[in-house]
Amino acid sequence: MRNAKLLVRTRVNTALSAVYDYPLTILEAPMGYGKTTAAKKFFEMEKLKPFWFTFPDLEYAETAFWNNFTDEISRMDPQAGLALSSLGIPDDAPQMEKVLSTLAGVTFGTAFFMVLDDYHLVRDLRLNKLFLRLAQEELDGLHVLIITRDTSDIDFVELLSRGLCFIISSQQLKFTELEIRDYCRLMHNDISDADLKKLGEYTDGWISFIYIILLGLKNGIPVGINSTIEEIVEKGLFIPYDRETRDFLLKLSVMADFTAHQAAFVTGNENAGPMLKKLNRENAFVFYNEKTRSYKIHSVLLDYLRLKQDFSIEEFNKLYGRLAEWHLEKQEFLKAYGYWNRSGQTERILSHLNDPKNMRNALIKFTGAEKMFDSTPQEMLFQYPLAYLLYLFHSILTGKQNSVLGWKERLVELQRYYKDLDGIDENYRNRVLAETMIVLKFTYFNHLPVMND
């Protein structure tokens, strides 16, 4: 596996063939989705030699582009190339009109393809205006393909509505289940079906991570985040963000998916909505699902963020507590209980569950319920007898063994406590004793004489 093998993907090549039909095509996806490889493979298969410029992360990159571009134009039309070189990148309306007029006079032939790779590194926004205007002009034979991680600075909406621009997104570029299988068999023909399934679910078609995980599998490393992936995400995606955004992402990672309102409520960041939109536009950690109107963090990136969480116990408890309150408001009690449990708010669970209208067997199945009830002091459990009885009843029915006392002993102790308790409403005392007796009868299942007592 020293050299990655290339899988021919007809589906992606079909999408890229849009470059023939539109003056501007934008290929956008996060790092590692195989944007450049896909474009190169397409032009190679089409036997085309485009003008290709990869923007470096250096000063004067735009000047280098303009020099290369005008040199290319000079090969077709020396006079136009000289004029463009003299004009430079247009920075006002008169200069823009001169550049457009000069290019309009160039005979591009059947098709001239301009590929601008790593366009997210462009610092000079004059280029954005130029390429948007070029698309509006619809010059015969001129087609531009922008390859980028981030479209936030490219105002292509009007062009899109007029049918002058085509977007190829990460959803189209990512490997499908069938392509993942074919690629994995190509690279690692003895991969197990179980690992193949895990790899597909974990990477969700992100080709760079598929490749790295395949290398790990060859060395006995199971599917999941590893040191190489961690380093790539750290340097390429996480560190470039400012401190506020990094902190926001780390707080978001207590959830796998969320709405903008939920993110704002849980993290306490009033700017959550705009930040999520920016993160989504930049094709990095957060992806927006139009159907559910919610955001999601990719599994690989979520694992990375959770590795990097360095919150204090108090900070964790606050986040999980806020998350519990959110789900409580939505009447999603199981989720709320689970997060209250994680934040150590046992009494909030018991109090809520002790309310007669919340006494449903389904609500006792929250994450960590058994451990919570078994580790909670008896004195507290006795303060919330209906919640305690619901747990005991559910445990008896499901045959769970108690590690401290038997179910009968616990029920008898609860019964004795409420018989002897002073200063209690008699109706409430009788209800607790009656329900204790009902549950106690289930401990004598198949012992009819005792059940009938």
Side-chain angles (χ1 to χ4, degrees):
M1 289 183 63
R2 184 178 297 275
N3 295 312
K5 302 172 185 177
L6 295 178
L7 180 73
V8 176
R9 296 201 291 161
T10 305
R11 176 183 60 82
V12 175
N13 287 333
T14 300
L16 280 165
S17 66
V19 297
Y20 286 107
D21 304 318
Y22 294 85
L24 177 62
T25 303
I26 300 175
L27 177 57
E28 59 162 343
M31 55 168 269
Y33 263 82
K35 301 182 293 295
T36 301
T37 300
K40 284 184 175 179
K41 193 67 178 176
F42 168 76
F43 285 111
E44 180 185 314
M45 292 185 69
E46 293 291 303
K47 295 181 171 55
L48 297 170
K49 292 185 178 180
F51 165 70
W52 189 297
F53 186 84
T54 300
F55 284 89
D57 189 11
L58 297 168
E59 274 191 283
Y60 309 117
E62 293 80 5
T63 301
F65 157 73
W66 192 251
N67 290 338
N68 284 19
F69 174 59
T70 55
D71 285 348
E72 186 72 15
I73 296 298
S74 293
R75 294 187 183 94
M76 292 181 281
D77 187 327
Q79 189 174 350
L82 184 62
L84 290 171
S85 180
S86 176
L87 284 167
I89 301 172
D91 55 14
D92 56 32
Q95 193 176 357
M96 176 71 79
E97 293 307 316
K98 289 178 182 178
V99 167
L100 293 174
S101 175
T102 301
L103 286 171
V106 176
T107 303
F108 289 106
T110 306
F112 174 75
F113 296 98
M114 183 192 306
V115 181
L116 307 173
D117 199 5
D118 283 347
Y119 192 79
H120 51 275
L121 296 176
V122 168
R123 298 184 177 95
D124 191 337
L125 298 183
R126 292 180 301 168
L127 286 184
N128 288 352
K129 294 177 182 178
L130 173 61
F131 295 124
L132 292 173
R133 282 297 310 276
L134 278 175
Q136 289 175 349
E137 294 298 313
E138 298 184 74
L139 302 182
D140 287 341
L142 177 60
H143 303 273
V144 178
L145 171 62
I146 289 176
I147 303 174
T148 183
R149 298 181 192 174
D150 176 12
T151 59
S152 56
D153 290 326
I154 307 173
D155 189 10
F156 57 79
V157 176
E158 184 183 348
L159 290 176
L160 203 62
S161 65
R162 291 171 55 188
L164 299 176
C165 175
F166 186 73
I167 307 294
I168 303 172
S169 70
S170 59
Q171 291 302 305
Q172 294 167 278
L173 194 59
K174 73 178 185 179
F175 276 50
T176 63
E177 185 178 341
L178 182 61
E179 288 168 344
I180 291 172
R181 186 201 67 189
D182 290 344
Y183 180 75
C184 288
R185 298 294 186 205
L186 182 69
M187 298 291 292
H188 184 13
N189 58 16
D190 57 347
I191 185 174
S192 70
D193 289 339
D195 280 338
L196 192 56
K197 182 180 179 182
K198 287 179 187 175
L199 188 148
E201 291 173 350
Y202 186 63
T203 63
D204 191 32
W206 199 324
I207 182 57
S208 286
F209 294 148
I210 292 172
Y211 177 68
I212 293 167
I213 289 171
L214 280 174
L215 288 175
L217 284 171
K218 290 286 276 186
N219 292 292
I221 302 171
V223 175
I225 197 163
N226 57 46
S227 58
T228 303
I229 292 175
E230 184 182 344
E231 185 177 354
I232 290 173
V233 174
E234 176 107 7
K235 293 180 178 178
L237 292 175
F238 189 66
I239 292 299
Y241 283 115
D242 58 66
R243 187 169 183 174
E244 182 189 5
T245 305
R246 294 200 301 267
D247 182 62
F248 180 58
L249 284 167
L250 289 169
K251 287 179 178 177
L252 284 178
S253 65
V254 299
M255 306 172 280
D257 55 80
F258 40 84
T259 64
H261 290 304
Q262 184 178 359
F265 182 84
V266 174
T267 66
N269 192 318
E270 296 178 355
N271 199 35
M275 290 179 75
L276 285 171
K277 287 181 180 179
K278 182 176 184 292
L279 287 165
N280 179 57
R281 285 197 308 268
E282 291 172 350
N283 282 302
F285 280 88
V286 176
F287 304 88
Y288 185 67
N289 186 321
E290 292 281 357
K291 187 175 180 180
T292 62
R293 296 183 179 182
S294 64
Y295 292 89
K296 182 178 181 179
I297 300 178
H298 190 286
S299 298
V300 176
L301 305 178
L302 189 61
D303 276 356
Y304 167 81
L305 290 171
R306 287 176 175 172
L307 275 176
K308 296 299 176 181
Q309 287 176 343
D310 59 352
F311 304 124
S312 66
I313 293 175
E314 291 75 17
E315 287 173 319
F316 266 120
N317 288 345
K318 183 179 179 181
L319 285 169
Y320 286 127
R322 297 281 289 176
L323 197 46
E325 294 292 343
W326 173 269
H327 288 295
L328 186 71
E329 178 67 25
K330 302 295 181 184
Q331 302 288 301
E332 297 169 346
F333 297 147
L334 269 181
K335 290 183 178 179
Y337 292 173
Y339 287 117
W340 266 334
N341 189 25
R342 293 190 71 168
S343 64
Q345 298 186 61
T346 300
E347 197 160 5
R348 290 293 301 274
I349 300 171
L350 294 174
S351 176
H352 194 268
L353 197 54
N354 201 64
D355 188 328
K357 68 175 181 288
N358 296 328
M359 288 188 64
R360 302 191 297 275
N361 282 336
L363 293 184
I364 209 68
K365 299 175 183 177
F366 62 89
T367 304
E370 185 174 354
K371 184 177 179 181
M372 186 203 83
F373 274 96
D374 283 348
S375 61
T376 300
Q378 192 178 64
E379 293 76 16
M380 182 181 289
L381 293 174
F382 282 179
Q383 291 177 44
Y384 304 97
L386 301 182
Y388 186 31
L389 281 167
L390 185 62
Y391 171 67
L392 293 175
F393 181 62
H394 174 74
S395 299
I396 291 166
L397 289 183
T398 55
K400 291 183 179 177
Q401 297 299 313
N402 182 257
S403 58
V404 183
L405 289 173
W407 305 129
K408 293 178 188 177
E409 289 88 349
R410 285 191 170 207
L411 288 162
V412 169
E413 286 188 350
L414 180 64
Q415 189 179 53
R416 185 183 303 118
Y417 178 85
Y418 271 87
K419 278 182 179 179
D420 298 338
L421 187 61
D422 294 327
I424 184 174
D425 178 79
E426 287 302 316
N427 288 331
Y428 187 64
R429 184 204 306 274
N430 290 335
R431 175 169 186 168
V432 173
L433 291 173
E435 296 205 16
T436 304
M437 182 61 71
I438 291 170
V439 177
L440 191 58
K441 283 181 179 291
F442 277 85
T443 66
Y444 296 105
F445 188 70
N446 282 338
H447 293 77
L448 290 180
V450 181
M451 289 184 71
N452 292 328
D453 284 347

